[in-house]
Amino acid sequence: MSHEADITIIGAGVVGLATAARVADGDREVYVLEKNETFGMEGSSRNSGVIHAGIYYPEGSLKARMCVAGNRMLYELCGAYGIAHKRLGKLILALTEEEIGDLERLLGQGQRNGAEGLRILSTREMKELEPNVEGLAAILSPSSGIVDPYALMRHFVARVQEKGGRIAYRTEVVGIEKAAGGYRVAVEEGSGRFSFFTRVLINCAGLQGDRVAELAGIDIAQAGYRLHYCKGEYFSVSTSRNGLVSMLIYPLPPPRLTGVGTHLTIDLDGRMILGPSIQYVDSIDYTVDPQHRQLFYDSVRRFLPFVQYDDLEPEMAGIRPKLQKPGEDVRDFVVRDESDRGLPGFINLIGIESPGLTAAPAIAEYVAGLVEDQLG
Ligand SMILES: Cc1cc2nc3c(=O)[nH]c(=O)nc-3n(C[C@H](O)[C@H](O)[C@H](O)COP(=O)(O)OP(=O)(O)OC[C@H]3O[C@@H](n4cnc5c(N)ncnc54)[C@H](O)[C@@H]3O)c2cc1C
């Protein structure tokens, strides 16, 4: 690594890589620093792989805007570069008469956000599409789909390298100091500790985003940046059930949008996967508790009656970096330049939970604007 960079990005998850691919150009020194041995070993490979439409999030929020824009950008990108994906469509179900009002409210929310092609289906219309699913009515979201997150990240890695950007693995950022016109960044890598200067520093550190902000001297309690870990487990459904459902199937989301409800996704091999569950945890542990099988079975059997208890096997888990504690109202993504904290050119991305995979290309575009404001 040279001792001077124009732009340094901390974290090689999908958001850091999309951002690096967007801001790299032959004339700038751009670095991505990643503490793990390769890219995408954390949140970006432990998710549902769903291309969300942008239905759930409060109108005008970054989550809503970036998700709706990211949805379109992602399909274009996948089409142009042959990244594995499928536009499966999705149903959000009302299971009781009382839920029909909630479904209509959610439809209004999604339409105000600009999610494409949403409409309500009657029981008959829903059954025509998905005869093996139970429900009284459903929102049809034709622009929801799935993508291979790993293939998407590989695409961004290739773009970064093509444009002359460099990705350093096994390189952990351990210190950030304000210097004239930029930042002195201390890193630890195999051969020891060293530091270098960068004009712009972008924090895409996922679960460690709050700690990285703290390294730069931000009081994270006062800024409202402290992250709370929220684990989501997945169970797979026996492959003997493959083909019984063709779309993504979701119940209505739980109150306060802690998640979007234990749902059914279909992976690119046609396997059905249930999850993610919601459990706040104190530490990062990706094991799936086999005893949670009953909870999964109970949460889906009302709308997926063909699923039997013995069909379910532990699959994997991911951890969401949430800005809100249990019971608190949903918080928006933080994506901001910290000039007003005396740290111009330090750009924080914190609380990038779902729909961060979908939103990644749109977040990258937004961050590129913040970078231009600094570098001109
Ligand atoms: C259970 C679950 C399900 C989800 N489902 C969906 C979905 O279906 N659709 C969707 O759109 N989104 C979904 N998401 C959200 C999506 O996965 C994330 O928003 C996205 O992957 C975040 O990417 P990231 O690059 O910000 O973070 P990460 O992928 O977590 O990357 C951060 C990187 O920073 C590195 N890092 C941290 N600290 C340092 C340091 N000090 N020095 C160097 N490197 C460091 C880490 O090692 C890591 O590689 C889901 C998330 C979860 C957890």
Side-chain angles (χ1 to χ4, degrees):
M1 275 179 74
S2 103
H3 282 262
E4 207 159 310
D6 294 302
I7 304 169
T8 300
I9 292 158
I10 307 170
V14 70
V15 175
L17 292 170
T19 302
R22 175 64 184 77
V23 299
D25 68 34
D27 297 334
R28 284 176 177 161
E29 275 301 316
V30 174
Y31 288 118
V32 181
L33 308 179
E34 169 54 56
K35 66 178 168 55
N36 294 329
E37 65 199 49
T38 189
F39 62 87
M41 293 181 74
E42 304 204 352
S44 297
S45 55
R46 296 179 166 277
N47 56 55
S48 308
V50 171
I51 304 177
H52 286 297
I55 302 169
Y56 303 99
Y57 318 103
E59 199 181 344
S61 63
L62 283 179
K63 283 185 177 172
R65 285 158 46 208
M66 305 280 138
C67 186
V68 170
N71 174 290
R72 291 176 197 145
M73 293 167 87
L74 212 47
Y75 280 117
E76 270 176 35
L77 206 63
C78 289
Y81 292 95
I83 300 164
H85 72 291
K86 281 187 188 162
R87 196 188 283 257
L88 295 174
K90 155 173 162 177
L91 296 180
I92 306 172
L93 306 171
L95 302 178
T96 60
E97 289 292 343
E98 301 82 73
E99 284 187 356
I100 290 183
D102 295 337
L103 202 68
E104 282 162 354
R105 274 188 289 282
L106 191 59
L107 176 79
Q109 175 80 71
Q111 287 172 332
R112 285 192 299 278
N113 288 350
E116 279 173 25
L118 302 179
R119 67 185 181 93
I120 298 233
L121 303 182
S122 64
T123 316
R124 188 182 53 77
E125 290 172 310
M126 189 207 86
K127 282 280 185 189
E128 272 168 19
L129 289 174
E130 293 290 3
N132 297 309
V133 172
E134 288 301 326
L136 286 184
I139 294 175
L140 170 67
S141 168
S143 75
S144 302
I146 51 170
V147 62
D148 176 348
Y150 182 76
L152 179 65
M153 287 188 278
R154 218 174 34 208
H155 163 80
F156 289 133
V157 167
R159 292 289 85 73
V160 173
Q161 289 167 342
E162 256 171 41
K163 291 163 135 190
R166 277 177 270 186
I167 307 177
Y169 297 116
R170 296 191 187 88
T171 304
E172 179 168 1
V173 172
V174 293
I176 299 170
E177 222 179 281
K178 178 86 192 77
Y183 296 87
R184 185 141 283 282
V185 180
V187 299
E188 261 174 24
E189 41 121 63
S191 55
R193 187 177 169 134
F194 71 96
S195 71
F196 69 98
F197 173 84
T198 185
R199 293 169 70 196
V200 166
L201 183 61
I202 307 175
N203 170 12
C204 298
L207 293 169
Q208 281 81 35
D210 54 349
R211 271 177 255 166
V212 168
E214 205 164 33
L215 288 179
I218 292 180
D219 178 339
I220 56 170
Q222 196 193 39
Y225 288 176
R226 193 176 296 287
L227 290 172
H228 307 281
Y229 293 167
C230 183
K231 184 168 178 178
E233 294 182 333
Y234 292 87
F235 276 69
S236 59
V237 179
S238 162
T239 52
S240 66
R241 310 286 176 195
N242 284 10
L244 287 178
V245 171
S246 61
M247 303 171 84
L248 309 170
I249 309 291
Y250 285 57
L252 278 161
R256 294 182 191 274
L257 205 62
T258 30
V260 285
T262 297
H263 50 264
L264 176 130
T265 52
I266 298 172
D267 70 13
L268 287 157
D269 298 322
R271 282 188 328 140
M272 294 187 207
I273 311 286
L274 303 179
S277 54
I278 295 168
Q279 187 191 2
Y280 276 87
V281 292
D282 294 327
S283 57
I284 298 173
D285 168 9
Y286 293 117
T287 51
V288 177
D289 185 344
Q291 294 192 351
H292 290 163
R293 180 182 284 147
Q294 185 70 43
L295 288 172
F296 275 76
Y297 177 60
D298 290 342
S299 57
V300 300
R301 66 179 171 171
R302 280 192 309 160
F303 59 98
L304 302 171
F306 62 86
V307 173
Q308 301 298 308
Y309 179 84
D310 289 334
D311 286 339
L312 303 183
E313 287 299 334
E315 174 75 7
M316 61 130 178
I319 297 185
R320 310 165 178 92
K322 283 196 180 284
L323 283 164
Q324 65 273 17
K325 289 189 205 147
E328 287 181 351
D329 283 340
V330 63
R331 291 266 308 272
D332 201 3
F333 291 156
V334 170
V335 183
R336 73 191 303 274
D337 177 90
E338 299 288 0
S339 292
D340 59 0
R341 293 197 165 88
L343 299 169
F346 181 48
I347 299 171
N348 271 317
L349 285 80
I350 301 182
I352 311 298
E353 52 167 329
S354 194
L357 175 69
T358 311
I363 295 176
E365 199 60 41
Y366 186 81
V367 173
L370 300 178
V371 170
E372 289 315 316
D373 290 346
Q374 292 302 320
L375 292 183

